[in-house]
């Protein structure tokens, strides 16, 4: 079996982590990662022993790489094409037509929301992406809710396999980053949000909730980078939160940052199954999350975290207040320990690898 994974290459968030951790499980001669630009993803993949091929684009509209990719698929005799993300999915239409290769995808976010705030161009790309999604041979849905969404879009249920994201869970916690390096004191309540700086991730909801808390001992870390960083930095200044919110950018020491924090945050308007929450669970952190994707299969509300409706800053603030109260009572640690026990039993990397491999073999048999 030989599988070509295709992704744009500019990813710095959950999809980057998902692809690298998954491909590491396969034999080196079984998988190749194709990207359209050098970046953190290609660098990290090589560091992990993954074969990376770069089909460099002069811009994201440079379609000359498609013929090169199709030729590469034929020359290397790949059995299966696995695409990730809108650009790779769109290019998959051409590759399928030219090579007739078996084509699967893991959709890491709602295709109808991938181009939020992109104007007319965004609407065009959304329509094209939704068209491409309906032309694939098989789909990996990372939650039952996401499978239902795909079926509602007209995709047959027997063409969808629900496979939850997974990570390697460790027995010991990471060594925490000193809080002083994160702009926080030992007595602060430290919330951390690991997410791409993109409108779909809901950072503004967190800022609105934090402003309404009116508690200077609450600090929030935004870990990640993206297209709306300057917009969010301006929002922080406008809301008078510059002393409480710290932008850490892209970091490789996410585990250590989680270990230094009290609660993990997720405020997305759409997700499939957030890898960041599993990484938080591995560091025994309870979670405040919006009700997206498969989070209700990971979080037990008010026992291992809090689940609130999307876009509701008032309820998000209430959950943050409850987390602060639980810390004062010394109850956060047990919530985090309980989440770790549940997550490590049900969402391991071994489960993810075995189910994807079995699906590959079934499709090629």
């Amino acid at each position: 079996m030989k599988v070509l994974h295709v992704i744009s290459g500019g990813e710095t968030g959950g999809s980057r982590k998902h692809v690298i951790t998954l491909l590491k499980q396969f034999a080196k001669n079984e998988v190749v990662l194709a990207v359209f630009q050098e970046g953190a993803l290609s660098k990290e993949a090589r560091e992990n022993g993954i074969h990376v091929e770069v089909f460099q684009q002069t811009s994201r509209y440079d379609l000359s790489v498609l013929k090169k990719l199709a030729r590469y698929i034929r020359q290397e005799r790949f059995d299966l094409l696995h695409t990730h993300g809108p650009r790779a999915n769109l290019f998959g239409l051409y590759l399928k037509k030219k090579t007739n290769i078996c084509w699967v995808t893991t959709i890491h976010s709602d295709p109808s929301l991938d181009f939020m705030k992109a104007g007319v161009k965004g609407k065009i790309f959304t329509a094209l992406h939704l068209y491409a999604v309906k032309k694939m041979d098989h789909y990996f849905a990372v939650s039952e809710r996401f499978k239902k969404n795909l079926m509602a879009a007209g995709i047959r249920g027997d063409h969808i396999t629900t496979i939850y994201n997974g990570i390697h869970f460790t027995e010991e916690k990471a060594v925490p980053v000193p809080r002083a390096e994160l702009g926080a004191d030992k007595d602060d309540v430290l919330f951390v949000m690991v997410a791409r700086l993109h409108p779909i991730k809901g950072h503004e909801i967190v800022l609105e909730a934090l402003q309404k808390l009116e508690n200077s001992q609450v600090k929030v870390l935004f870990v990640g980078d993206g297209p709306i960083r300057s917009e969010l930095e301006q929002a922080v200044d406008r809301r008078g939160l510059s002393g409480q919110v710290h932008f850490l950018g892209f970091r490789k020491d996410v585990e250590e940052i989680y270990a230094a924090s009290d609660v993990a945050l997720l405020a997305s308007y759409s997700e499939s199954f957030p890898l960041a929450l599993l990484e938080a669970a591995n560091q025994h952190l309870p979670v405040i999350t919006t009700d997206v994707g498969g989070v209700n299969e990971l979080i037990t509300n008010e026992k291992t975290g809090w689940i609130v409706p999307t876009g509701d800053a008032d309820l998000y603030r209430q959950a943050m207040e409850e987390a602060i109260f639980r810390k004062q009572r010394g109850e956060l640690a047990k919530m985090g320990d309980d989440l770790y026990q549940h997550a490590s039993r049900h969402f391991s990397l071994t489960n993810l690898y075995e189910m994807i491999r079995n699906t590959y073999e079934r499709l090629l048999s």
Side-chain angles (χ1 to χ4, degrees):
M1 175 173 58
K2 196 170 180 181
V3 184
L4 179 65
H5 285 254
V6 180
I7 191 168
S8 75
E11 292 78 7
T12 59
S15 57
R16 172 194 59 85
K17 187 77 170 180
H18 172 89
V19 170
I20 290 173
T21 54
L22 172 61
L23 268 59
K24 279 174 60 179
Q25 309 310 306
F26 286 84
K28 291 183 180 180
N29 63 345
E30 289 184 318
V31 293
V32 174
L33 177 63
V35 299
F36 305 118
Q37 64 185 86
E38 293 283 10
L41 191 155
S42 58
K43 183 176 183 291
E44 187 175 350
R46 290 192 187 98
E47 290 172 351
N48 283 279
I50 298 166
H51 180 178
V52 179
E53 290 286 339
V54 180
F55 295 83
Q56 189 71 48
Q57 291 181 286
T58 56
S59 76
R60 66 179 58 200
Y61 307 110
D62 176 12
L63 302 182
S64 65
V65 296
L66 292 179
K67 289 184 179 179
K68 297 175 185 177
L69 258 174
R71 184 165 59 248
Y72 183 67
I73 289 171
R74 289 191 293 264
Q75 287 176 346
E76 297 297 322
R77 298 184 178 181
F78 285 99
D79 302 299
L80 194 143
L81 172 68
H82 191 150
T83 55
H84 304 263
R87 196 187 320 179
N89 289 341
L90 285 169
F91 287 2
L93 279 171
Y94 177 90
L95 299 175
K96 174 69 173 179
K97 181 179 180 180
K98 292 298 181 180
T99 67
N100 200 33
I101 191 171
C102 182
W103 178 23
V104 304
T105 189
T106 301
I107 301 177
H108 298 270
S109 58
D110 187 339
S112 67
L113 299 176
D114 280 328
F115 299 98
M116 281 179 67
K117 294 188 177 181
V120 174
K121 189 183 296 183
K123 292 180 180 178
I124 294 171
F125 281 125
T126 296
L128 289 171
H129 189 203
L130 291 171
Y131 175 78
V133 165
K134 294 180 181 181
K135 298 296 181 180
M136 299 165 182
D137 295 305
H138 201 79
Y139 308 81
F140 292 117
V142 292
S143 71
E144 279 298 317
R145 177 185 290 182
F146 211 77
K147 179 177 180 177
K148 291 176 182 177
N149 289 345
L150 290 172
M151 292 174 67
I155 296 167
R156 288 170 44 183
D158 60 347
H159 287 185
I160 308 168
T161 301
T162 302
I163 298 182
Y164 298 105
N165 270 336
I167 65 169
H168 171 65
F169 285 88
T170 57
E171 293 184 6
E172 301 293 331
K173 296 180 185 178
V175 177
V177 176
R179 282 199 165 191
E181 296 181 13
L182 302 173
D185 298 325
K186 62 181 179 65
D187 295 326
D188 288 334
V189 184
L190 189 56
F191 294 90
V192 57
M193 183 170 176
V194 179
R196 189 166 44 110
L197 303 185
H198 184 280
I200 201 170
K201 297 299 183 179
H203 292 81
E204 281 277 9
I205 297 299
V206 174
L207 295 181
E208 185 177 345
L210 178 61
Q211 184 180 24
K212 291 179 177 180
L213 274 177
E214 297 182 342
N215 186 335
S216 61
Q217 279 201 298
V218 174
K219 301 293 171 58
V220 173
L221 307 176
F222 286 160
V223 182
D225 218 331
I228 63 167
R229 177 164 182 158
S230 61
E231 180 181 325
L232 289 173
E233 289 173 336
Q234 291 170 20
V236 167
D237 290 339
R238 186 172 63 253
R239 293 179 182 275
L241 299 173
S242 57
Q244 292 180 257
V245 179
H246 302 287
F247 292 83
L248 303 187
F250 173 73
R251 299 282 292 246
K252 289 189 175 182
D253 56 347
V254 170
E255 292 182 350
E256 291 80 1
I257 293 172
Y258 273 134
S261 305
D262 295 305
V263 180
L265 302 179
L266 186 131
S268 300
Y269 289 95
S270 175
E271 291 280 354
S272 45
F273 193 92
L275 206 58
L277 298 192
L278 293 181
E279 293 175 333
N282 188 39
Q283 297 304 319
H284 300 241
L285 255 67
V287 171
I288 299 174
T289 177
T290 44
D291 188 10
V292 291
V295 297
N296 58 2
E297 295 162 61
L298 174 64
I299 306 298
T300 302
N301 197 33
E302 298 188 13
K303 292 186 178 180
T304 57
W306 294 266
I307 301 175
V308 300
T310 57
D312 194 322
D314 284 327
L315 290 180
Y316 210 96
R317 172 191 56 78
Q318 289 179 27
M320 293 176 75
E321 286 180 339
E322 179 66 18
I324 295 166
F325 178 67
R326 294 284 186 99
K327 179 177 181 177
Q328 292 169 345
R329 294 181 56 176
E331 297 173 356
L332 277 184
K334 184 179 184 309
M335 293 179 71
D337 290 343
D338 289 347
L339 178 57
Y340 171 85
Q341 293 300 326
H342 173 70
S344 60
R345 284 197 303 268
H346 295 93
F347 304 102
S348 72
L349 186 56
T350 300
N351 291 343
L352 171 69
Y353 164 71
E354 289 179 350
M355 292 186 71
I356 286 184
R357 185 180 190 90
N358 290 341
T359 304
Y360 284 169
E361 291 175 347
R362 177 170 56 83
L363 291 170
L364 297 175
S365 62

